Amino acid sequence: MKTPVFNSEEAMAQLRRSTHPGSAHFYAMYSSLFGGIITDPALMVLPLDDHMVHRGHGVFDTATLVNGMLYQLDQHLERFLRSAKMARISLPFPAERLRQIILDTAAASGRRDGSVRYWLSAGPGGFGLSSAECVGSSFYVMVFRQEGYPESFYTRGVKVITSTVPIKPPFFARVKSTNYLPNVLVLLEAKERGADNGIFIDDRGMVAESSNMNVAFVSRDRVFRHPQFGAVLSGVTVQRMLRLAEGLVKEGALTKIEIGDITVAEGKAAAEMMLVGSSIKVAPVVEWDHQPIGDGKPGPIARKFLDLWHEDIRRATDQLVRVAYPE
Ligand SMILES: Cc1ncc(COP(=O)(O)O)c(C=O)c1O
């Protein structure tokens, strides 16, 4: 069969035809290349010569839209700006303007719940390696239906395996770049081996993180434990949970909070283990490498953290930014 060559009009029609059912849940997109917001999923495309596409020279972050508010937007933005600096991508606009564009895109989506993801790219300019050829950095925002996890993750718990996928070196684990190949592979490996997700182990044999979430433990003497942040992504959610854990220490549910190295053996001997992140919130892990964690049932502390998360999105005014929807 001969490969068709399209003129611009035909190409546009093809673009419209090429949307898939999932794109019905892509609600709004901002592109600095258009200089505005669009809501037609068929047009939510990037130029191939954008260095984020063909070189992975881009960074991103995601904030959750809940009840018409962006949860922890400023904390996510702070990490986004840190990532941009590490990736040596300059901002196309001042940070305050980026924040406003995110809020405007959320408003234009008309949605009160979803995910708001934004990217900063070295930008288009050609197919070379150096961003010196780029015409300027580009900024994109997308509002889409949040990835859902099965209810059983919370009621029956999550099963994990130790991943054989090599973890990113510390610098690359700390920058939230668009190079998520190891993160994708850890998840695919876990599914293939009958688990829900995998755990990255660092080159010293210490517990690191999961595919796109952090991992925390409650020891048998009720210490809340998290790995050091030097070689993992500093999760906005787990940083908040570490703060809220102070309340659980005060009420006696936990004895203390410890951030430091956790060996695999220590992790497996914990009373509780949990996955923490913007998408999963807090989910109990009940099995690791086919061995039960604690009594093999979702634990009370993971439950308490999930309840605290729900309370936070309802009441923590210092963690919520209201979206100004059109009347
Ligand atoms: C590799 C990795 N670790 C941890 C996290 C959790 O971070 P957050 O709580 O900010 O979603 C994420 C998600 O962004 C991630 O991609």
Side-chain angles (χ1 to χ4, degrees), residues 76 79 176 180 183 209 212-214 233 235-237 277-278:
H76 281 282
R79 184 173 66 191
K176 199 164 167 64
Y180 260 47
N183 311 63
E209 61 185 339
N212 57 340
M213 42 197 85
N214 291 109
L233 190 78
V236 170
T237 318
S278 300

Side-chain angles (χ1 to χ4, degrees), residues 7-79:
N7 63 30
S8 304
E9 240 164 66
E10 290 163 339
M12 198 66 185
Q14 286 303 111
L15 209 52
R16 284 238 143 69
R17 236 169 271 150
S18 68
T19 56
H20 53 83
S23 66
H25 309 293
F26 302 163
Y27 306 125
M29 179 199 186
Y30 167 87
S31 165
S32 61
L33 302 179
F34 303 152
I37 299 165
I38 53 170
T39 55
D40 179 353
L43 305 179
M44 296 177 182
V45 292
L46 295 195
L48 193 54
D49 72 326
D50 188 313
H51 279 216
M52 181 166 81
V53 179
H54 67 91
R55 295 296 187 190
H57 197 176
V59 297
F60 74 106
D61 220 296
T62 315
T64 306
L65 180 62
V66 271
N67 306 324
M69 316 251 216
L70 276 169
Y71 180 54
Q72 300 197 291
L73 172 64
D74 291 305
Q75 292 83 342
H76 281 282
L77 261 177
E78 212 178 289
R79 184 173 66 191

Side-chain angles (χ1 to χ4, degrees), residues 116-156:
V116 182
R117 185 164 296 161
Y118 32 93
W119 294 261
L120 188 65
S121 161
F127 294 96
L129 188 60
S130 166
S131 54
E133 73 173 9
C134 298
V135 294
S137 56
S138 46
F139 180 58
Y140 308 106
V141 184
M142 186 79 167
V143 183
F144 56 99
R145 186 167 75 178
Q146 190 168 33
E147 179 187 5
Y149 291 99
E151 190 50 33
S152 64
F153 270 28
Y154 306 94
T155 52
R156 277 188 272 139

